[in-house]
Amino acid sequence: MIVVRVVLNEVPKGELFTLLETDGGISLKLEDLTTLGLKDIAGSPQTIEGETWVPLRSIPRISFRLDPATLTLHLTAAASYFPPNTLDLLPKRLQGTIRPRESSAFFNYRFDYTGGKALRLESFSFGQELGARTGDFLLLADGRYERTPERDRWIRLSTSLSRDDRTNLTRLVAGDFVGTSGLLGSALSLGGVSYSRSFRIDPYLITRPLFGFTGSALTASQVEVYLDGQRIATQAFPSGTFSLRNIVGYTGARTLEVVVRDAAGREERFLVPFYFSDVILARGLSDFSYSLGAPRRNLGQASADYGPLTFLGYHRWGITDALTLGARAEANGDGFNAGPEAGVVLGRYGTVTAAANLSAARGHSAGFSGALSWVYAGAVAGGRLFTRTFSPDYATVDETPPLQRTRTEVGAGLNVSTRGFGSLSIDYARSTRLAGPPEESLVAGYNRQLLRSIHFRLNARWVRGDQPTRQLFVGVSAYPWAATTVSAGVRSEDGKESVSLDALRSVPLGEGFGYGVSASLPLSARAEGQGSANAQYKGKYGLFSTGLNVVDAPGSERTETYTLSAAGGIGWTREAIALTRPIADSFGVARVGDLPGVRVYQNGQLVGRTNEVGRVFLPELASYLDNQISIENRDIPMEYGVPALTKSVSPPLRSGSVITFEAARIQGVTGIISARVGEKLVPLEFAVFSLEVGGQPREYATGNGGEFYIENLPPGRHPGAATPAGRPCRFALDVPVTKEFIAEIPPVVCEPAP
């Protein structure tokens, strides 16, 4: 038995006892092999003096060499003897995100005025939207008042009560909603009840299949991961098997490269092609929607015009990461249609989706429909093919006139994109209806960056059918300043040529101005001239815009149209009610104690400063996303303490939330405690004493000379006790009511306890 230095797969592991055998073999204790990090040790163990030893020769896939000069045992073990290591590449979510479920309400309004020459009234409208939330329930209702020279009316648009389940990602809606029955099905505005899966409730959930890679490292190594040449991760792994999980990539054909580099600089490279699809569900996921209600007729024109009771539904399951199966159906009192659908990933060669349906309707024979499509997206080129067919008797639940229904559709597309060439896309489609001539269309587009801020654009569209069209546009766009776009081009439409000039400055995320100016100048006698100008202002309390549009068409009188609009909202939470811009999603109130003038940021953008009571309104929170709300530390007075300067909040849909930053005023109390010893007063130095605060004892300590400093003691008398030199004594600490940052109280004497 000797002691040797052990080096396992080139990593020093310390010193261990070994048994040298007469034939040159070496044995190690079984428990030492486990301590080295090896698992599932095979071999022929032997018991010697009550301990289990394993001859290294008896262990498969382990080699050894003893250096007698340095008494170093070099071991080389296969990767399978080490526990696996895993790197999860799924984007990490923010920790400690708040998910509020507070009661709140809002009201949006919008005024629109359209006038002709001399601002003569053409139309006036007043839109309203009311929303109220409590817990998981959301009530929404909206309507619009319209006035024109011909009519004067108010129209109800929609009313609904919904409940979102954040745990199961489901949504239950009662009222007005849009229902769908999936591929080859209908999409209808209904009044009724809907129950569906809503992945929007968890926007960080990746529903499509992800990719993984498993490799091994004989020695401790650095692993670099590249996706299409871009490094996405670097991780050090010990010896053994390693796994890369949940690799996320853009849709299409991608290439994963894994580089394993050990301490000596030796490299292994692995190239793995794979295909990401956004139409396939990850294995184990399901998506569904079930709707029962009456179709809305004349939506936007009538308040309560409903059709017969109708059912729409579909359900899809992720069977494997390459196969998704589903079924769909729709029905009303006149008939139904139903059928299966499937989506398949063809390795690196794209995805195929297919569906087939049968229908039965009163007074009609059985009908059939089918659809088949293939989509491929590559790093440079992509393509698509599709076809759909409907038999003459195929019945659906929508109210499209039978002769306007589609009979067949076929189409193909191609796109190519490289940094030097630009991007080119071409799409062809042909369709036939049960009545009327067939329609063909060819659409092409080309874009290329000429300079850093200048882009060239070409778009062409050719349609043959009831309404033949020939369109061509060639132009350039420039981005000379932030949020500003300037473009110019030549347009030809059915033999009418014109030159277009446009300038646009978008409204900022916060408060500010935006504008748009455009002109179309005719180059031929048949073309019309057109010009428009508009300006927008995004303020703290609303959105305001005005515009002018002038059209001068050959053979017609020139028309002028003026528009004016104003929109705003009112939001209510338990902390505040405020006038604001229209509330399009969620909103909130940030509360920083009662401190005024504190700057508050949302995702790094300044929202505003707190008012005189420490509140600021946040009109544009994104529902279900993690919104980072932070406050400016430099705006906090030095006598205040704030435990957290940043908070993350993920509010439910169309809700109001309160984000509270605790800002407590720090008030210190200082003084000296002495203990009476006989006739003398001795400073109570470096001693522990207790105070009764709010009926509970708290411990503090004194320093040199019996001095103490305590923060945030409430005003009043606080009984105290100490035990100097083992002798108990008692005292009372009187804290005054004061606005001073540090209050100094008179010396305190700890009198001996009776």
Side-chain angles (χ1 to χ4, degrees):
M1 183 183 293
I2 63 171
V3 177
V4 299
R5 294 173 52 227
V6 177
V7 178
L8 176 61
N9 288 13
E10 303 182 10
V11 179
K13 292 292 186 178
E15 296 182 340
L16 293 175
F17 285 101
T18 64
L19 287 179
L20 294 184
E21 302 168 7
T22 55
D23 58 358
I26 297 178
S27 296
L28 286 176
K29 292 181 183 178
L30 180 60
E31 62 180 288
D32 288 340
L33 288 169
T34 303
T35 303
L36 290 175
L38 303 175
K39 65 180 184 67
D40 300 330
I41 300 297
S44 304
Q46 302 173 356
T47 302
I48 302 176
E49 297 181 356
E51 295 181 312
T52 302
W53 295 77
V54 182
L56 297 180
R57 284 177 174 170
S58 68
I59 307 175
R61 301 187 308 284
I62 288 186
S63 60
F64 64 93
R65 177 178 59 85
L66 179 64
D67 185 347
T70 60
L71 288 181
T72 301
L73 177 62
H74 295 271
L75 294 176
T76 302
S80 58
Y81 281 110
F82 297 92
N85 299 279
T86 300
L87 173 62
D88 193 334
L89 295 175
L90 198 65
K92 301 298 185 291
R93 302 187 182 187
L94 295 176
Q95 298 297 315
T97 298
I98 303 169
R99 290 187 170 187
R101 299 177 64 251
E102 304 174 22
S103 297
S104 60
F106 67 89
F107 177 75
N108 288 330
Y109 55 89
R110 179 183 179 93
F111 297 93
D112 287 286
Y113 180 89
T114 302
K117 287 185 178 181
L119 290 177
R120 183 182 65 255
L121 173 68
E122 290 186 358
S123 68
F124 170 77
S125 66
F126 170 48
Q128 321 97 43
E129 182 186 29
L130 174 67
R133 174 176 283 279
T134 178
D136 296 330
F137 291 91
L138 171 66
L139 174 67
L140 289 175
D142 60 344
R144 184 176 70 245
Y145 167 76
E146 297 178 344
R147 182 181 179 186
T148 67
E150 294 79 23
R151 62 176 180 266
D152 188 345
R153 64 181 181 178
W154 181 86
I155 300 171
R156 184 188 69 86
L157 296 176
S158 66
T159 308
S160 66
L161 177 66
S162 63
R163 180 184 183 274
D164 285 354
D165 185 337
R166 298 191 73 159
T167 302
N168 298 307
L169 305 183
T170 58
R171 176 170 293 165
L172 177 65
V173 182
D176 297 310
F177 57 90
V178 175
T180 179
S181 59
L183 189 63
L184 284 178
S186 303
L188 300 175
S189 294
L190 299 175
V193 180
S194 170
Y195 181 64
S196 63
R197 175 84 71 207
S198 178
F199 292 123
R200 166 71 177 82
I201 296 176
D202 185 359
Y204 300 100
L205 175 68
I206 299 176
T207 61
R208 64 179 185 268
L210 302 179
F211 189 71
F213 176 84
T214 300
S216 62
L218 187 61
T219 63
S221 302
Q222 184 108 329
V223 176
E224 296 177 349
V225 186
Y226 297 83
L227 186 60
D228 287 343
Q230 298 291 322
R231 185 166 64 179
I232 60 173
T234 299
Q235 180 73 26
F237 285 109
S239 304
T241 302
F242 64 87
S243 296
L244 308 175
R245 296 177 52 200
N246 296 326
I247 299 172
V248 184
Y250 295 110
T251 299
R254 306 294 169 198
T255 299
L256 182 75
E257 182 180 11
V258 180
V259 180
V260 183
R261 185 180 296 110
D262 65 15
R266 295 185 294 265
E267 285 187 358
E268 280 189 287
R269 291 179 177 266
F270 304 90
L271 290 175
V272 186
F274 58 96
Y275 194 91
F276 280 126
S277 171
D278 58 357
V279 299
I280 303 297
L281 290 174
R283 179 175 56 187
L285 281 183
S286 64
D287 184 23
F288 59 85
S289 175
Y290 298 100
S291 303
L292 181 65
R296 289 287 302 268
R297 293 170 173 165
N298 301 311
L299 180 62
Q301 301 298 319
S303 297
D305 186 1
Y306 290 93
L309 190 65
T310 301
F311 169 80
L312 300 172
Y314 72 84
H315 206 125
R316 300 169 65 232
W317 298 270
I319 305 302
T320 70
D321 282 346
L323 175 64
T324 296
L325 297 179
R328 56 154 307 279
E330 58 184 41
N332 60 18
D334 293 325
F336 76 94
N337 65 65
E341 61 181 61
V344 181
V345 178
L346 304 177
R348 271 185 61 84
Y349 304 105
T351 57
V352 170
T353 56
N357 287 324
L358 293 175
S359 73
R362 187 179 300 167
H364 293 271
S365 302
F368 167 82
S369 69
L372 182 66
S373 66
W374 167 79
V375 176
Y376 171 80
V380 175
R384 49 210 164 269
L385 297 169
F386 73 90
T387 179
R388 297 199 305 168
T389 182
F390 303 86
S391 69
D393 287 312
Y394 182 71
T396 63
V397 297
D398 63 27
E399 297 183 348
T400 303
L403 295 181
Q404 295 183 16
R405 291 183 177 175
T406 301
R407 181 74 173 84
T408 61
E409 280 185 327
V410 294
L414 174 69
N415 61 274
V416 179
S417 179
T418 67
R419 178 173 295 181
F421 170 74
S423 61
L424 171 69
S425 64
I426 301 174
D427 284 278
Y428 169 80
R430 185 179 190 275
S431 64
T432 62
R433 296 192 298 270
L434 294 179
E439 181 175 284
E440 290 181 278
S441 67
L442 181 65
V443 179
Y446 175 72
N447 292 273
R448 187 177 187 274
Q449 183 176 345
L450 301 179
L451 298 174
R452 183 176 181 180
S453 60
I454 299 179
H455 292 255
F456 172 79
R457 180 163 59 96
L458 183 150
N459 295 101
R461 184 170 181 261
W462 171 80
V463 178
R464 186 174 69 176
D466 283 340
Q467 298 178 339
T469 301
R470 287 182 175 87
Q471 296 175 340
L472 176 66
F473 175 82
V474 180
V476 293
S477 298
Y479 308 94
W481 307 285
T484 302
T485 304
V486 178
S487 61
V490 178
R491 184 185 308 275
S492 175
E493 183 171 352
D494 298 329
K496 296 179 288 187
E497 289 78 28
S498 60
V499 174
S500 64
L501 303 171
D502 299 273
L504 172 68
R505 180 177 178 82
S506 58
V507 179
L509 293 176
E511 299 178 27
F513 287 91
Y515 62 83
V517 179
S518 68
S520 179
L521 308 177
L523 294 178
S524 64
R526 298 175 55 201
E528 67 179 22
Q530 184 175 353
S532 66
N534 62 78
Q536 307 90 35
Y537 173 67
K538 189 177 185 180
K540 182 177 181 181
Y541 301 112
L543 300 176
F544 308 93
S545 67
T546 181
L548 167 64
N549 186 65
V550 179
V551 177
D552 191 359
S556 302
E557 183 182 358
R558 189 179 74 169
T559 63
E560 298 176 3
T561 304
Y562 299 87
T563 59
L564 298 170
S565 70
I570 304 173
W572 171 82
T573 68
R574 58 180 169 83
E575 283 290 338
I577 181 170
L579 292 172
T580 182
R581 300 189 288 269
I583 297 171
D585 193 355
S586 294
F587 62 98
V589 174
R591 173 187 176 187
V592 189
D594 56 358
L595 298 177
V598 179
R599 282 169 287 183
V600 178
Y601 301 86
Q602 179 180 333
N603 300 326
Q605 300 260 349
L606 178 64
V607 177
R609 290 179 179 267
T610 55
N611 59 15
E612 63 278 2
V613 292
R615 313 290 191 270
V616 65
F617 198 78
L618 309 173
E620 297 176 354
L621 294 181
S623 60
Y624 298 120
L625 292 172
D626 295 342
N627 300 265
Q628 281 192 315
I629 311 300
S630 57
I631 59 177
E632 180 59 64
N633 187 37
R634 291 173 293 182
D635 296 338
I636 306 297
M638 62 177 297
E639 65 269 21
Y640 279 80
V642 180
L645 296 175
T646 300
K647 293 192 175 184
S648 176
V649 58
S650 175
L653 182 68
R654 309 300 298 272
S655 65
S657 306
V658 177
I659 302 96
T660 301
F661 294 88
E662 302 292 346
R665 191 172 187 275
I666 301 172
Q667 186 175 44
V669 176
T670 186
I672 296 175
I673 301 178
S674 300
R676 188 180 300 280
V677 181
E679 298 297 325
K680 295 182 178 182
L681 294 178
V682 179
L684 192 66
E685 294 185 313
F686 308 108
V688 175
F689 65 93
S690 65
L691 287 178
E692 188 175 306
V693 181
Q696 299 294 327
R698 296 184 186 176
E699 289 191 343
Y700 303 96
T702 60
N704 187 33
E707 294 183 352
F708 67 87
Y709 173 78
I710 303 174
E711 288 185 349
N712 297 331
L713 270 180
R717 168 161 288 199
H718 302 283
T723 312
R727 294 186 294 271
C729 65
R730 299 186 182 279
F731 62 94
L733 202 66
D734 292 315
V735 179
V737 177
T738 178
K739 293 185 177 181
E740 295 181 3
F741 183 35
I742 299 177
E744 186 172 353
I745 63 176
V748 176
V749 177
C750 191
E751 301 287 354

